[in-house]
């Protein structure tokens, strides 16, 4: 097996890919969740033929990379200090922490007021609050959006909250919807988009034409909320 790294220009974009020569009959291209691209080619394939194939599939490659990008949590690490900005349902709040008798968080008037016991970290209190709000809000969205799928005869799924480094959500083969608690920081419409995306997977398991047609039918403006999700949590 021979491995090389190449790249091509597609408009203003540059696509880098890892070229792997193998004992195989056909040329294949795969895009991975972190955005990398691998091209698997028969050992005797010419570079010109490979580049031609990659250019032919360039639009699809970029589409796949963007698809995965929308599930990559991009919010940078926070220090949980006074004056720092934190997101909740797409709005920015200024963190204000103070020692108190109980651990609690209140979001109002542009502030995220955190009361915490002297032996409890601010980060712990805020993360627990985000998780509680995520469970509450995600289940509320599910209750509302599942009604849009009545004609498709799917069962209402369980929603699990799970921290994931490279995805906003996923759907298991057994019909469980898994959502990243960080998603609670996104605008409401973006949360609805992710929920609908995963519910569509209960009908169509793959990202095929039928899947996107259903997503478009259920949420015609899904692309707008997908873009907001990609660029709001930065």
């Amino acid at each position: 097996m021979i491995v090389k790294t190449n790249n091509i220009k597609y408009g203003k974009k540059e696509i880098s890919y890892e070229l792997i020569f193998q004992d195989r009959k056909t040329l294949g291209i795969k895009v991975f969740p972190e955005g990398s691209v691998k091209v698997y080619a028969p050992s005797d394939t010419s570079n010109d033929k490979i580049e031609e194939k990659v250019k032919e599939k360039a639009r699809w490659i970029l589409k796949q990379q963007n698809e995965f990008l929308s599930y990559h949590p991009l919010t940078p690490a926070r220090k949980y200090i006074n004056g720092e900005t934190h997101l909740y349902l797409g709005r920015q709040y200024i963190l204000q922490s103070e020692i108190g008798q109980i651990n609690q968080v209140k979001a109002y008037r542009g502030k995220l007021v955190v009361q915490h016991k002297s032996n409890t970290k601010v980060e712990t209190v805020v993360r627990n609050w985000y998780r509680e709000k995520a469970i509450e809000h995600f289940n509320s969205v599910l209750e509302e959006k599942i009604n849009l799928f009545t004609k498709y005869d799917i069962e209402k799924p369980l929603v699990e909250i799970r921290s994931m480094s490279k995805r906003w959500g996923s759907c298991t083969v057994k019909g469980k919807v898994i959502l990243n608690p960080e998603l609670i920081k996104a605008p409401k419409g973006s949360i609805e988009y992710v929920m609908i995306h995963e519910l569509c997977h209960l009908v169509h398991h793959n990202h095929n034409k039928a899947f996107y047609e259903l997503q478009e039918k259920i949420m015609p403006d899904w692309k707008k909320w997908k873009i907001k999700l990609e660029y709001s949590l930065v």
Side-chain angles (χ1 to χ4, degrees):
M1 181 175 70
I2 302 174
V3 180
K4 297 181 179 180
T5 301
N6 288 346
N7 59 71
I8 64 159
K9 285 281 189 179
Y10 182 72
K12 295 181 180 179
K13 299 280 187 178
E14 183 173 88
I15 298 175
S16 297
Y17 59 93
E18 188 175 357
L19 176 57
I20 303 168
F21 288 102
Q22 296 178 325
D23 182 15
R24 55 185 292 153
K25 294 182 179 180
T26 59
L27 191 151
I29 300 174
K30 188 169 183 179
V31 181
F32 291 84
E34 75 279 4
S36 65
V37 180
K38 291 187 179 181
V39 178
Y40 302 92
S43 302
D44 59 351
T45 312
S46 68
N47 285 330
D48 288 343
K49 187 173 181 179
I50 292 169
E51 284 196 14
E52 181 183 346
K53 186 66 175 180
V54 174
K55 287 179 180 178
E56 179 186 319
K57 300 290 288 184
R59 186 175 180 181
W60 173 82
I61 291 170
L62 294 172
K63 182 180 178 181
Q64 290 296 108
Q65 288 178 326
N66 286 332
E67 180 72 27
F68 284 126
L69 177 63
S70 70
Y71 289 92
H72 288 195
L74 301 174
T75 307
R78 291 292 188 251
K79 297 180 180 179
Y80 298 90
I81 57 177
N82 284 330
E84 189 177 58
T85 59
H86 287 257
L87 287 167
Y88 173 57
L89 294 178
R91 294 183 59 190
Q92 283 194 342
Y93 292 83
I94 304 296
L95 189 144
Q96 178 182 311
S97 67
E98 53 192 47
I99 300 295
Q101 298 298 313
I102 60 173
N103 295 326
Q104 66 176 4
V105 178
K106 293 182 179 179
Y108 67 98
R109 295 182 180 178
K111 292 183 179 181
L112 197 68
V113 181
V114 183
Q115 289 187 340
H116 63 102
K117 297 178 182 178
S118 57
N119 63 344
T120 308
K121 292 182 179 180
V122 174
E123 178 180 355
T124 300
V125 178
V126 174
R127 285 188 175 278
N128 288 341
W129 177 78
Y130 269 133
R131 193 172 188 85
E132 290 171 3
K133 289 297 182 182
I135 293 170
E136 178 185 327
H137 188 74
F138 296 167
N139 277 294
S140 176
V141 173
L142 173 62
E143 288 288 342
E144 178 185 347
K145 300 306 176 185
I146 193 65
N147 294 324
L148 301 174
F149 291 81
T150 35
K151 66 178 289 186
Y152 300 100
D153 194 30
I154 60 173
E155 293 185 10
K156 178 183 171 184
L158 291 174
V159 173
E160 179 182 324
I161 308 299
R162 184 191 301 173
S163 295
M164 296 177 282
S165 62
K166 295 182 178 180
R167 292 185 70 82
W168 290 117
S170 65
C171 182
T172 69
V173 292
K174 293 184 178 180
K176 180 190 291 185
V177 170
I178 301 171
L179 297 176
N180 195 320
E182 290 290 299
L183 186 60
I184 195 62
K185 300 175 182 180
K188 292 181 179 179
S190 295
I191 296 173
E192 292 174 3
Y193 153 66
V194 175
M195 179 65 77
I196 286 171
H197 183 98
E198 300 308 334
L199 290 176
C200 285
H201 274 310
L202 297 179
V203 183
H204 302 289
H205 301 302
N206 301 314
H207 289 139
N208 53 25
K209 182 180 179 182
F211 170 88
Y212 285 109
E213 286 177 348
L214 176 59
Q215 184 171 260
E216 187 83 23
K217 181 179 180 181
I218 299 293
M219 191 178 196
D221 61 347
W222 68 270
K223 290 180 182 178
K224 177 183 77 173
W225 294 110
K226 177 179 181 290
I227 291 171
K228 281 182 177 291
L229 179 61
E230 291 172 0
Y231 294 105
S232 63
L233 299 186
V234 296

